[in-house]
Amino acid sequence: MGTPLDATERELTLGVPEEEPETADTGASDQVVIEDIIDKIILVIDELSGHPLRPYQLPLARRILESLIIEDSAKITALWSRQSGKSETVADTVAGAAIMLPRLAKVFPTLLGKFREGLWVGVFAPTDEMSETLFSRIVGRLTSERAQDILADPEIDEKLVARGKVLHLKRCGSLIRKQTAHPKAMIEGQTYHLVVIDEAQAADDKVLNKSITPMMASTAGTLCLTGTPTYTKSGFYEQIQKNKRESTRKGRKSDHFQVDWKEVSKSVPRYKKFVQSEMDRLGEDSDEFKLSYRLIWLLDKGMLCTSDRFDSLGDVSMRAVQEWHRSPVVVGIDPARKTDSTIVTVCWVNWDYPDEYGNYEHRVLNWLDLQGLDWETQYYRIVEFLSHYNVFAIGIDAGGLGDVVASRLRVLMPYAQMLDLKSDRTNQTKRWAHMMDLMSKGLVIWPAHAKTRSTKTWRRFRQQMEDAELTYQGPHIIVAAPEVDAAHDDYVDSLANALFLTAEMTMPEAEMQNSPW
């Protein structure tokens, strides 16, 4: 088969080949044709920008184009250092594809038929102002003098219409629209072949999953997430991890593109000079330098418990303990509010061997997760569950519903000490600080046996522990679930309540015994 767009130097850059038989884009030579199409679009991209894409920019541009052509509905992630040309790469790719794909659709109707009426692109960011950064680059690329010369060429013959938040290539039908991914914005109703979300680390996951990604359902569209690291997990972070895992599988394409300052410096000496000066000013190990240039996620500073920390505190030889009477245990209860669950956490305490600071080793024995039950039923379920343990003390969030629960359990369980834990920020800070101190010293352990890990209760516990976000407001520590649907922190609160009892109460008298673990 002949190579398309091979007539002249100018035709290689701008022109559209004579239409070939439809069989040209089918069969065993598909990949050769796809690579050839991408090569020609890259030539147009370079012509639009006035300079070739840099070596580290080219793989991302080619992968976006490939995904659009083969309709694999890829979720592409780009984690690049600040001012490395990330937005420029995406803007150039979108501009070149918007011009060329509809024209090539006439030559390759089977392969590119869905672009006959144009390429439709949605440009999103967490706020309208943030989306302007990428959108303005696309506008600048298509309205430059070079672009105007290309669009006016008889073989392209295109007219650009710009109206507010929409760029429209009138003759081929391509459309590029700027939109916000803010949670309060009403953005449903559009259809796109390509969606780009800039500064994706700050994007709302609910908006992304509920409102934006369905816009590509009818087109088998491509999603491109670009951004930099931060202190907390997000859909962007999770997609990066998924792409990294998938890329290790045989025959899978890489959908994650990571470019740190060292990679950029190979192609841009001025960038290297500036970043090295910033390294001297900020320090290579400063948070600012790690986030902006080294691309290190600082989850240990923005999350209560990272995945690595969670795994390190799990005992793979220990199962959930259904009954324990040999020594006193402590219990934390987080009463349900609205859509939350009531969670009861039981912890064994190594009372006989405190560390030099008076802290005890704690092991989570078991959890009780109560959902969708009225409180009268919950009271008796809690009492029945705790009857299998030698309960020394129970900690419950005071205030509101917690007061009622504590009063009722005092009547039903007179043998156990009931401690009302205040919910103001000062007292909550004490609880979180104590819990974080115990975790940092390895004095909190939970069951991680394979059979326990297979239970829904354990999986919910892990999810909530890893989702919990850590923030500091003045002298106060705040730990809470992210503000997205289906995110909860009931297990986290319940565990914190149980652990705090050993900081507030005196050690009970206990018989000497060997640890069962």
Side-chain angles (χ1 to χ4, degrees):
M1 188 194 78
T3 302
L5 306 182
D6 59 355
T8 64
E9 173 74 18
R10 181 167 165 280
E11 195 171 1
L12 274 171
T13 308
L14 304 175
V16 178
E18 295 296 325
E19 185 166 351
E20 296 184 7
E22 188 167 331
T23 55
D25 62 351
T26 59
S29 61
D30 271 3
Q31 190 58 40
V32 175
V33 176
I34 290 167
E35 292 299 324
D36 197 35
I37 291 172
I38 293 172
D39 289 342
K40 304 321 178 205
I41 298 176
I42 293 295
L43 287 174
V44 174
I45 289 172
D46 292 345
E47 184 73 14
L48 277 170
S49 64
H51 57 79
L53 290 170
R54 295 168 182 147
Y56 65 86
Q57 295 175 312
L58 195 56
L60 174 60
R62 294 188 70 91
R63 181 65 184 106
I64 293 173
L65 294 172
E66 180 188 43
S67 179
L68 287 170
I69 293 169
I70 67 176
E71 295 186 4
D72 62 355
S73 299
K75 308 296 186 290
I76 299 169
T77 52
L79 188 72
W80 291 22
S81 61
R82 291 290 182 185
Q83 297 299 308
S84 57
K86 164 174 50 68
S87 297
E88 179 186 4
T89 304
V90 175
D92 290 348
T93 305
V94 168
I99 294 171
M100 294 304 297
L101 284 177
R103 288 170 171 79
L104 292 171
K106 299 176 183 178
V107 183
F108 303 101
T110 302
L111 197 60
L112 303 175
K114 70 176 181 179
F115 301 116
R116 275 186 174 275
E117 297 179 3
L119 171 70
W120 308 325
V121 182
V123 176
F124 292 83
T127 65
D128 195 55
E129 291 77 13
M130 293 170 75
S131 64
E132 180 63 29
T133 303
L134 176 56
F135 186 72
S136 63
R137 287 183 180 270
I138 299 173
V139 172
R141 190 62 74 227
L142 288 173
T143 57
S144 67
E145 289 187 13
R146 300 183 68 89
Q148 291 305 306
D149 291 342
I150 292 172
L151 295 180
D153 186 276
E155 295 185 17
I156 298 295
D157 188 26
E158 186 56 79
K159 183 178 180 181
L160 179 67
V161 178
R163 294 178 180 173
K165 298 181 179 182
V166 179
L167 277 177
H168 189 205
L169 295 176
K170 193 171 182 180
R171 291 191 170 90
C172 72
S174 289
L175 175 147
I176 303 153
R177 179 182 286 109
K178 179 185 75 169
Q179 290 191 260
T180 177
H182 193 277
K184 295 183 179 179
M186 300 297 294
I187 56 176
E188 288 87 351
Q190 307 299 335
T191 299
Y192 296 118
H193 298 109
L194 170 65
V195 165
V196 181
I197 302 182
D198 201 16
E199 302 299 339
Q201 73 277 3
D204 185 274
D205 292 344
K206 176 183 176 183
V207 175
L208 172 62
N209 297 325
K210 178 180 179 295
S211 301
I212 297 177
T213 53
M215 296 177 179
M216 300 176 287
S218 63
T219 61
T222 298
L223 176 66
C224 181
L225 303 164
T226 68
T228 51
T230 184
Y231 294 96
T232 57
K233 286 184 180 180
S234 61
F236 181 49
Y237 173 86
E238 298 294 349
Q239 189 62 51
I240 288 173
Q241 301 310 309
K242 181 178 181 181
N243 286 351
K244 286 181 177 179
R245 290 192 297 269
E246 290 294 319
S247 67
T248 62
R249 295 173 58 187
K250 186 177 180 180
R252 296 302 296 264
K253 300 178 183 297
S254 176
D255 284 332
H256 178 59
F257 300 87
Q258 188 157 318
V259 178
D260 64 11
W261 75 274
K262 292 181 180 179
E263 187 67 27
V264 181
S265 298
K266 295 176 184 177
S267 304
V268 191
R270 289 190 184 93
Y271 187 85
K272 179 179 181 180
K273 187 183 298 184
F274 175 80
V275 175
Q276 286 180 332
S277 71
E278 286 293 276
M279 188 190 305
D280 292 337
R281 184 176 72 90
L282 299 172
E284 186 176 7
D285 292 322
S286 66
D287 288 2
E288 295 83 0
F289 196 84
K290 285 180 178 178
L291 293 170
S292 297
Y293 301 109
R294 295 178 63 189
L295 306 181
I296 297 174
W297 293 82
L298 301 180
L299 299 182
D300 57 336
K301 294 191 176 182
M303 307 296 293
L304 174 68
C305 184
T306 64
S307 298
D308 290 341
R309 170 64 63 80
F310 186 92
D311 290 337
S312 69
L313 295 176
D315 184 344
V316 295
S317 67
M318 178 184 174
R319 302 187 187 187
V321 179
Q322 307 297 327
E323 189 160 352
W324 183 262
H325 291 283
R326 284 187 276 174
S327 62
V329 301
V330 292
V331 177
I333 299 179
D334 183 58
R337 295 177 180 85
K338 296 182 179 178
T339 59
D340 296 337
S341 303
T342 293
I343 303 299
V344 181
T345 302
V346 180
C347 290
W348 174 86
V349 183
N350 192 356
W351 299 106
D352 297 323
Y353 298 99
D355 68 6
E356 57 185 312
Y357 302 105
N359 295 315
Y360 303 99
E361 177 189 340
H362 300 70
R363 285 180 178 260
V364 176
L365 297 183
N366 206 354
W367 306 268
L368 175 65
D369 187 334
L370 299 174
Q371 298 183 42
L373 298 176
D374 63 87
W375 266 106
E376 284 302 317
T377 303
Q378 288 193 39
Y379 290 134
Y380 290 100
R381 286 286 302 277
I382 292 172
V383 172
E384 193 279 330
F385 173 74
L386 294 179
S387 68
H388 298 282
Y389 303 92
N390 179 7
V391 177
F392 167 58
I394 300 173
I396 304 177
D397 280 326
L401 186 59
D403 289 340
V404 179
V405 176
S407 297
R408 188 64 181 275
L409 290 180
R410 280 190 179 95
V411 175
L412 296 174
M413 302 178 64
Y415 50 85
Q417 296 187 56
M418 207 72 57
L419 187 65
D420 295 330
L421 303 176
K422 296 180 180 179
S423 298
D424 60 277
R425 288 196 172 178
T426 299
N427 282 281
Q428 284 189 338
T429 296
K430 291 179 182 178
R431 292 204 289 278
W432 296 127
H434 182 64
M435 179 174 178
M436 291 163 61
D437 183 49
L438 293 177
M439 289 173 61
S440 68
K441 295 174 179 176
L443 294 177
V444 183
I445 300 169
W446 37 75
H449 189 277
K451 290 192 175 181
T452 300
R453 295 198 306 269
S454 66
T455 64
K456 288 183 180 180
T457 299
W458 189 91
R459 292 199 298 268
R460 288 178 186 143
F461 171 66
R462 173 164 197 156
Q463 186 68 53
Q464 292 189 20
M465 288 292 291
E466 293 184 5
D467 281 349
E469 295 181 353
L470 173 66
T471 56
Y472 296 88
Q473 293 186 4
H476 299 128
I477 300 173
I478 298 175
V479 175
E483 295 182 359
V484 297
D485 278 0
H488 303 280
D489 52 19
D490 315 310
Y491 280 88
V492 185
D493 287 335
S494 177
L495 177 58
N497 291 346
L499 298 178
F500 194 63
L501 296 178
T502 63
E504 288 288 288
M505 306 188 76
T506 57
M507 181 183 71
E509 293 185 5
E511 296 178 1
M512 294 291 291
Q513 60 175 310
N514 293 325
S515 168
W517 295 283

